[in-house]
Amino acid sequence: MRVAIGGIHTECSTYSPLMQVAADFTRTEGQALLDMAGVGPDWHGVEAVPIFHDRSIPGGPVSPDLFAAQCDEFCDRLRAALPLDGVLLIMHGAYFVPGIDDPEGHFVQRVREVVGARAVISSAWDLHGQITETIVNTVDAFAAFRTAPHVDQPQTRTRAARMLLDALRGGPRPCVVRRAVPLLVSGEMSSTFVEPCLALYAALPDYDAKPGVCDTNLMIGYVWADSPRATATAVVTCTDRAAGQAAADAIARAYWDVREQLLPDMHSAPLESLLDGLTGPTILADSGDNPTAGAVGDRADVLAALIARGWGADASRRAMIVGIAAPGAVAALRRGDAQIHVGGELGGGGPQLELIPDAIRLTEGGAVVTCGGIACVLTERRRPFHDLADFAALGLDPMRADLVVVKSGYLSPDLRELPLAQVMALTDGAVSQDVLALSNNHRPRPTWPFQRDGFAHFI
């Protein structure tokens, strides 16, 4: 038997000014893709055929030309690999392509057209994906992350592969059902590390064990895309459609019932209030400009606030800002310029600062500049700093600072473990946590909390 492997994966804020282009994506293919999919001894008797997997750091909308090229190339490679008994797709679910309401639905339909009705298509997704009827009616099996922050990506791909292999080896062919939940909040308000989502996701294996049910999922959705498909969903893979639909309905109802309890997973407040309240070593998440949620990552709001409070002239208070996308400033430093401009360089907005650093250390892909008590990492490209290895690579130790600032929403597992106070600043940017202030022209109505009544059709 032959199974093709591949997919496309990103998250697109419709509030970002940056269109994603080919250079934003990293392609995985060949043996690296087989390793990503977990191809190993469990695949005995099955030939795994790597196509490609394109993934980017979340950002703005994907260029229509790029999306068309990705679809065309993927399908061309699929045709070249025929005949195929199955496909394992590794997806996200939060593409936004201008002019296409359901990009992943379009993509999976294109795949189905190539491989035919007989081939089994199984798929792995991010729980922040927007899952439509087109998607669930096209694929045969569906598995999504059950953790946010995400720590179960390999396990999710293994679940999807297991359902695919079971069907190919003579098990009943599964199907996928969904139940939309008219509720849309940020990942920071639905972290699986805290209640109420901790309990909701812990209950999913119990649903998996029900007769006729294979794999159950609660999709939080993606709040920063003003799109007709923007909604939470319960998605269930099953061999008994009635049992699967009953499980989806129960999961959807359980999520709806805790909607008033969905709150940020750590203390959150406006930036100035948090800075006023600092009492000890603290890690601060600059949430509105978080590139791993789709923001630009170039805003200098926190840097400006610290300079205004005198941190830039006081080496006794140590702040570490990791980091700000500022390719022009890095280029100026490489030329030897003494003065640089930081903030809003890529169109993300916010203050634009003129800095004359006390010290400059050029790094691969950026620079570390020091102004008084502030060490600031500047980068040539948008990127997150979520792992302690990212700090170590720059010679930085977060435990040696009074304040560590990262462009993040909820903190990564590495950063959560640091013995520092943890706060989230409700800053401006393309992924602002003030979701009620977002333009809301295309989401389904009603959707809680954008609307607070009119839900009789769901209740």
Side-chain angles (χ1 to χ4, degrees):
M1 292 181 289
R2 287 165 54 82
V3 170
I5 300 172
I8 55 175
H9 189 288
T10 194
E11 201 171 62
C12 303
S13 169
T14 60
Y15 306 102
S16 170
L18 292 181
M19 185 77 74
Q20 294 196 57
V21 295
D24 294 312
F25 283 80
T26 299
R27 175 162 292 186
T28 303
E29 50 194 337
Q31 185 60 48
L33 180 52
L34 299 183
D35 294 341
M36 175 192 289
V39 175
D42 290 347
W43 286 66
H44 63 87
V46 176
E47 180 185 359
V49 182
I51 306 300
F52 67 77
H53 184 261
D54 277 355
R55 177 172 184 161
S56 74
I57 294 173
V62 172
S63 152
D65 289 344
L66 171 59
F67 178 66
Q70 288 175 319
C71 292
D72 289 345
E73 183 179 0
F74 195 90
C75 290
D76 286 345
R77 292 198 186 190
L78 272 183
R79 287 189 194 92
L82 292 175
L84 292 165
D85 301 283
V87 182
L88 177 62
L89 294 177
I90 302 172
M91 307 291 287
H92 184 293
Y95 257 66
F96 182 88
V97 180
I100 301 177
D101 284 343
D102 183 8
E104 283 87 355
H106 176 82
F107 181 84
V108 298
Q109 283 187 318
R110 291 280 306 274
V111 170
R112 174 62 76 191
E113 289 169 2
V114 172
V115 300
R118 185 185 65 83
V120 178
I121 301 178
S122 188
S123 53
W125 303 77
D126 189 303
L127 64 81
H128 296 123
Q130 313 281 22
I131 306 305
T132 63
E133 285 291 333
T134 297
I135 292 171
V136 302
N137 290 335
T138 303
V139 303
D140 298 289
F142 181 106
F145 301 161
R146 290 176 171 177
T147 60
H150 309 314
V151 295
D152 66 334
Q153 297 98 318
Q155 294 88 340
T156 302
R157 296 190 283 266
T158 296
R159 285 160 45 211
R162 185 190 67 244
M163 290 187 286
L164 172 62
L165 296 175
D166 286 349
L168 292 178
R169 289 169 176 157
R173 183 165 183 154
C175 64
V176 185
V177 298
R178 73 189 277 275
R179 175 69 185 273
V181 189
L183 192 168
L184 202 59
V185 297
S186 69
E188 287 67 32
M189 297 176 67
S190 51
S191 167
T192 66
F193 281 49
V194 298
E195 299 295 358
C197 286
L198 177 63
L200 292 177
Y201 282 86
L204 293 181
D206 294 334
Y207 289 104
D208 295 347
K210 293 181 180 295
V213 175
C214 305
D215 195 277
T216 56
N217 304 276
L218 174 57
M219 307 298 288
I220 299 301
Y222 180 68
V223 74
W224 293 294
D226 186 8
S227 164
R229 66 174 184 157
T231 185
T233 47
V235 183
V236 176
T237 304
C238 54
T239 54
D240 179 327
R241 183 174 290 273
Q245 193 63 62
D249 292 347
I251 294 165
R253 168 60 59 181
Y255 187 45
W256 175 256
D257 286 347
V258 300
R259 63 192 180 281
E260 297 284 358
Q261 302 171 41
L262 297 171
L263 301 169
D265 68 341
M266 58 182 161
H267 176 57
S268 305
L271 174 62
E272 295 295 339
S273 173
L274 293 178
L275 294 179
D276 286 342
L278 293 177
T279 58
T282 300
I283 185 165
L284 181 148
D286 177 5
S287 66
D289 198 33
N290 170 18
T292 61
V296 178
D298 68 342
R299 294 182 66 107
D301 304 67
V302 182
L303 176 59
L306 292 179
I307 290 174
R309 289 167 176 263
W311 288 61
D314 181 2
S316 68
R317 292 187 295 176
R318 298 164 300 174
M320 189 180 294
I321 299 179
V322 187
I324 300 173
V330 174
L333 293 172
R334 294 196 189 285
R335 291 194 304 267
D337 294 1
Q339 179 176 291
I340 56 175
H341 294 81
V342 176
E345 185 178 327
L346 300 179
Q352 298 178 328
L353 308 177
E354 290 186 359
L355 301 179
I356 301 177
D358 303 326
I360 299 164
R361 179 162 56 88
L362 295 174
T363 65
E364 183 179 354
V368 180
V369 300
T370 302
C371 298
I374 304 171
C376 184
V377 176
L378 305 178
T379 61
E380 291 174 322
R381 300 189 64 179
R382 302 169 57 249
R383 60 157 297 181
F385 289 88
H386 285 180
D387 300 323
L388 292 179
D390 297 329
F391 288 76
L394 295 173
L396 300 175
D397 180 358
M399 295 306 299
R400 295 177 62 83
D402 301 301
L403 178 65
V404 179
V405 180
V406 290
K407 290 188 179 294
S408 182
Y410 48 49
L411 297 177
S412 67
D414 256 13
L415 299 184
R416 290 176 73 95
E417 293 300 317
L418 292 176
L420 302 172
Q422 299 173 3
V423 297
M424 184 170 72
L426 303 177
T427 46
D428 291 331
V431 294
S432 167
Q433 293 286 330
D434 185 6
V435 297
L436 296 185
L438 301 175
S439 60
N440 182 36
N441 300 315
H442 304 290
R443 294 182 184 87
R445 292 177 179 266
T447 294
W448 194 95
F450 296 94
Q451 293 85 38
R452 293 279 178 156
D453 53 26
F455 295 102
H457 69 288
F458 181 76
I459 296 169

